[in-house]
Amino acid sequence: MIRAVLTVLALMIALPAVAQGVESNIVTGGPSGTYIKIGRDIAALGAECGLKVNVRESAGSLENIGAVRDRRVTQLGIVQSDVLEYVQTFEAKDPALRRLAWGVRIAFPLYNEEVHVLAKREIASLADLNGKRVATGVAESGTQLTADLVLDLVEVTPGERVAIGPNDALKALLAGEIDAFFYVVGAPAELFRSDEIDGTKFHLLPMTEPVLNAVYTPAEVPAGTYPFEKGPVKLVAVKAVLVTYAFDSRRNSYQAASCKVVSDVSHLILTRFDQLQASGHPKWKSVDVKDIPPGWEVSSCVLDGLDPAYAFTCRKPDGSSVEEGVAGETETEPNRLFLQRVCARMGC
């Protein structure tokens, strides 16, 4: 199922490149998730300097990795690290997946996002999902891939896997149409702050199985994060990653313009990181921009934006403009160069 969806994405035909001017887009996730809020924080930075970045909703990670590879005027997307790992694991044996992975580059590692499973109170553990009706996320979403992987790892077979998104899944759970649903989202997730979730009837399933802690990052949702949970809940988490494509400025005007978008956004994230942590989504406080996923390379367009010689003009809404740069300089291979430039600016 997962490989079939990825294969379809990998075989998509890229739309013709535009010759002049370029729209700037970042694909994120659903309207109630954390991805879209992170995307809006990035877009807000751009707006302060006259750079318009459109934030686009999507089904999630599986769609997004295909979008930066093949969708026109889509320079950035947010993807779960286990989706990247899955593609990397199987690309050697699957030409379609190899094509999907080709050209995808890292822009910035982001935060850990927790694997939430909201279930009826009588369901005490993941093992109790055997034979139950479980919503695992819409097709092309990272939630669906993670749900399938988690269920396989703990050797649980639901009676039915319902392919719906989190908003519809919550309605179905409250109506008694399903027994539980998966949602991979950075806590605190707005969806779980709903007053409709009765803590005497529903709860988050703890994830303490050794096999999950070996594959994923152990995490905990603190007490009081959600109204229906009075105590802390141990979960597991995956890392969210901002990805892009290996745009080549020498190839054509579209690629040059898209590379410039990636460079500008990267420059803004690094130089205004304190601002993101202070006024953006709470997850920015846990971002470790040095935590590059193994086996993936940072985009050269990102490195351009972090270069101390990079010329960026912040055109403010009042009409004034400011030339900016990044302090520090080194020369080495892409990922090390990324880390050194980040460290030069932020310390390590």
Side-chain angles (χ1 to χ4, degrees):
M1 174 66 175
I2 298 171
R3 297 184 71 179
V5 173
L6 284 166
T7 299
V8 170
L9 287 170
L11 293 175
M12 292 191 305
I13 303 299
L15 293 171
V18 292
Q20 72 277 346
V22 63
E23 183 179 306
S24 307
N25 289 282
I26 174 173
V27 283
T28 56
S32 62
T34 305
Y35 282 4
I36 198 164
K37 294 176 176 61
I38 294 295
R40 287 169 180 164
D41 288 341
I42 293 171
L45 291 184
E48 290 179 6
C49 288
L51 174 64
K52 183 180 179 182
V53 179
N54 301 305
V55 180
R56 303 299 185 187
E57 293 183 20
S58 77
S61 294
L62 293 179
E63 178 181 343
N64 294 353
I65 195 172
V68 298
R69 171 69 177 80
D70 284 322
R71 190 176 298 171
R72 187 175 64 177
V73 296
T74 301
Q75 297 87 0
L76 296 158
I78 304 177
V79 177
Q80 290 171 206
S81 59
D82 58 346
V83 172
L84 293 176
E85 186 173 346
Y86 184 90
V87 172
Q88 186 181 65
T89 298
F90 290 101
E91 65 171 317
K93 298 179 180 180
D94 190 325
L97 293 183
R98 188 159 56 250
R99 180 185 180 277
L100 179 65
W102 187 86
V104 174
R105 296 289 186 268
I106 301 300
F108 273 89
L110 296 174
Y111 54 90
N112 286 339
E113 48 185 350
E114 292 76 15
V115 181
H116 298 71
V117 182
L118 186 65
K120 294 178 178 178
R121 179 60 71 173
E122 59 266 27
I123 297 173
S125 68
L126 289 173
D128 293 339
L129 295 178
N130 267 311
K132 304 297 185 183
R133 296 162 297 172
V134 181
T136 55
V138 297
E140 300 186 17
S141 70
T143 289
Q144 184 185 67
L145 182 144
T146 298
D148 288 345
L149 290 177
V150 166
L151 292 169
D152 287 348
L153 286 168
V154 297
E155 299 181 340
V156 167
T157 305
E160 181 183 1
R161 300 189 191 209
V162 184
I164 55 177
N167 292 300
D168 289 336
L170 178 58
K171 293 176 184 176
L173 181 65
L174 296 176
E177 298 168 0
I178 60 173
D179 300 295
F181 72 92
F182 279 77
Y183 188 22
V184 181
V185 61
E190 193 63 35
L191 184 70
F192 294 122
R193 289 177 165 174
S194 171
D195 294 335
E196 295 183 87
I197 305 175
D198 185 345
T200 65
K201 298 179 180 179
F202 307 102
H203 70 134
L204 290 176
L205 294 185
M207 295 186 181
T208 57
E209 291 82 355
V211 65
L212 296 182
N213 285 323
V215 174
Y216 292 95
T217 301
E220 182 177 277
V221 173
T225 300
Y226 303 121
F228 61 91
E229 288 287 1
K230 303 308 179 185
V233 183
K234 293 187 180 298
L235 304 178
V236 293
V238 298
K239 184 168 290 296
V241 182
L242 186 65
V243 299
T244 184
Y245 178 71
F247 295 110
D248 184 350
S249 299
R250 299 164 298 181
R251 185 174 176 185
N252 55 45
S253 60
Y254 168 71
Q255 295 244 346
S258 291
C259 185
K260 179 73 164 57
V261 168
V262 174
S263 299
D264 286 350
V265 169
S266 301
H267 177 92
L268 286 170
I269 291 174
L270 182 61
T271 58
R272 290 163 172 76
F273 193 71
D274 289 345
Q275 179 181 334
L276 288 169
Q277 291 190 313
S279 58
H281 188 278
K283 275 296 183 181
W284 283 107
K285 292 181 173 65
S286 64
V287 170
D288 180 0
V289 295
K290 303 181 293 295
D291 190 11
I292 303 170
W296 295 84
E297 188 172 284
V298 174
S299 158
S300 62
C301 301
V302 170
L303 295 181
D304 288 345
L306 306 189
D307 194 294
Y310 185 69
F312 177 79
T313 302
C314 180
R315 295 180 174 84
K316 298 182 179 297
D318 63 5
S320 63
S321 62
V322 180
E323 292 286 342
E324 301 182 355
V326 178
E329 182 173 13
T330 56
E331 292 296 335
T332 181
E333 54 88 20
N335 289 14
R336 180 177 293 276
L337 184 57
F338 173 85
L339 293 175
Q340 290 182 343
R341 287 181 177 169
V342 165
C343 290
R345 175 79 188 190
M346 303 171 61
C348 289

